[in-house]
Amino acid sequence: SQKIEQNSEALNIQEGKTATLTCNYTNYSPAYLQWYRQDPGRGPVFLLLIRENEKEKRKERLKVTFDTTLKQSLFHITASQPADSATYLCALERGKLIFGQGTTLQVKP
Amino acid sequence: GAVVSQHPSWVICKSGTSVKIECRSLDFQATTMFWYRQFPKQSLMLMATSNEGSKATYEQGVEKDKFLINHASLTLSTLTVTSAHPEDSSFYICSARVGTVNNEQFFGPGTRLTVL
């Protein structure tokens, strides 16, 4: 069956460091992979979309890589700030979005 | 960016009653709207996809007679939880998409439903 895995353990890092979150998937060939941010009690907010024929996408302090051979995406936040603390969701799409369970990031000052 | 609103933001109801949740795209027309459910510490689970003027397409395991979806206009979709029970208590989130060229989905803020 199709499966999306994100590290369920919270990621704790120091302010200023680079946070790296992982999204692995199996039995799926997505056309797009998306990353969202979700704060407690709120809906997800779109961050980045990367297509299957793209290797890397950047937006300000954010970078996403997409390796369709490894079936993996990495999400990086450089120069992290306490305000980056949230849960980050990856989602695969081929017609509809399927979400991973998310990884909670805690950036300590 | 595009804004999607949901109303109410939270609702508490008695078991056996029905609850309607509204999802509106405020500054764009959404050809497709989606309804998700999220239990604590879990992922968003897609419940159904609705296109304006058409019947909703429900995901496997979602009872269409219990979760009624109406997408009467390009800016409004409603989800009615009929005869709600405590196990229906969850966080319900809608999203809207403009066409298929830009696959970005815009999510609403969510509605917290608690059934007593």
Side-chain angles (χ1 to χ4, degrees), chain A:
Chain A
S1 61
Q2 298 166 348
K3 201 172 179 182
I4 303 171
E5 287 184 343
Q6 292 185 257
N7 194 339
S8 58
E9 291 183 13
L11 177 63
N12 295 298
I13 64 168
Q14 206 66 35
E15 181 177 9
K17 301 292 186 183
T18 296
T20 298
L21 288 71
T22 305
C23 175
N24 295 296
Y25 60 93
T26 56
N27 298 325
Y28 207 71
S29 296
Y32 306 87
L33 187 145
Q34 304 183 27
W35 283 89
Y36 288 80
R37 168 182 173 143
Q38 186 176 26
D39 290 284
R42 305 293 295 173
V45 174
F46 172 80
L47 296 175
L48 279 169
L49 177 153
I50 187 165
R51 292 174 170 76
E52 61 182 337
N53 61 349
E54 297 177 316
K55 295 292 185 185
E56 183 179 297
K57 196 73 126 357
R58 291 175 185 261
K59 179 182 176 183
E60 298 174 354
R61 294 186 296 113
L62 308 180
K63 184 178 85 172
V64 172
T65 63
F66 193 12
D67 189 326
T68 55
T69 301
L70 290 178
K71 295 187 183 296
Q72 180 182 78
S73 175
L74 299 178
F75 177 77
H76 307 272
I77 305 176
T78 58
S80 60
Q81 304 166 0
D84 295 327
S85 298
T87 296
Y88 291 86
L89 308 168
C90 76
L92 308 183
E93 178 169 9
R94 189 170 281 280
K96 57 187 179 183
L97 274 181
I98 307 297
F99 282 86
Q101 78 271 31
T103 298
T104 298
L105 171 67
Q106 189 70 37
V107 181
K108 298 181 180 178

Side-chain angles (χ1 to χ4, degrees), chain A residues 32 38 44 93 96 99-100, chain B residues 38 43 59 97 103-104 107 109:
Chain A
Y32 306 87
Q38 186 176 26
E93 178 169 9
K96 57 187 179 183
F99 282 86
Chain B
Q38 186 177 33
S43 176
E59 293 299 302
R97 185 172 71 190
N103 285 277
E104 181 177 347
F107 284 80

Side-chain angles (χ1 to χ4, degrees), chain B residues 70-108:
Chain B
N70 185 289
H71 193 163
S73 76
L74 286 171
T75 59
L76 173 65
S77 177
T78 59
L79 168 68
T80 301
V81 183
T82 62
S83 187
H85 288 92
E87 57 266 29
D88 298 322
S89 299
S90 188
F91 193 49
Y92 292 86
I93 308 171
C94 73
S95 70
R97 185 172 71 190
V98 178
T100 58
V101 176
N102 181 349
N103 285 277
E104 181 177 347
Q105 288 188 26
F106 303 96
F107 284 80

Side-chain angles (χ1 to χ4, degrees), chain B:
Chain B
V3 178
V4 175
S5 70
Q6 279 185 243
H7 178 80
S9 55
W10 60 270
V11 57
I12 301 172
C13 69
K14 291 183 178 179
S15 186
T17 60
S18 294
V19 174
K20 180 185 283 188
I21 303 171
E22 291 186 350
C23 176
R24 293 180 185 273
S25 56
L26 298 185
D27 50 1
F28 67 101
Q29 292 185 326
T31 52
T32 306
M33 287 185 169
F34 304 86
W35 286 95
Y36 295 83
R37 182 167 51 181
Q38 186 177 33
F39 292 105
K41 305 288 186 184
Q42 293 189 25
S43 176
L44 278 78
M45 298 299 295
L46 180 64
M47 298 175 68
T49 302
S50 73
N51 293 292
E52 184 263 339
S54 305
K55 287 185 178 180
T57 301
Y58 290 81
E59 293 299 302
Q60 191 173 8
V62 178
E63 300 175 58
K64 61 181 179 181
D65 294 330
K66 180 170 183 63
F67 299 99
L68 302 178
I69 292 173
N70 185 289
H71 193 163
S73 76
L74 286 171
T75 59
L76 173 65
S77 177
T78 59
L79 168 68
T80 301
V81 183
T82 62
S83 187
H85 288 92
E87 57 266 29
D88 298 322
S89 299
S90 188
F91 193 49
Y92 292 86
I93 308 171
C94 73
S95 70
R97 185 172 71 190
V98 178
T100 58
V101 176
N102 181 349
N103 285 277
E104 181 177 347
Q105 288 188 26
F106 303 96
F107 284 80
T111 296
R112 173 73 60 192
L113 170 63
T114 301
V115 185
L116 302 177

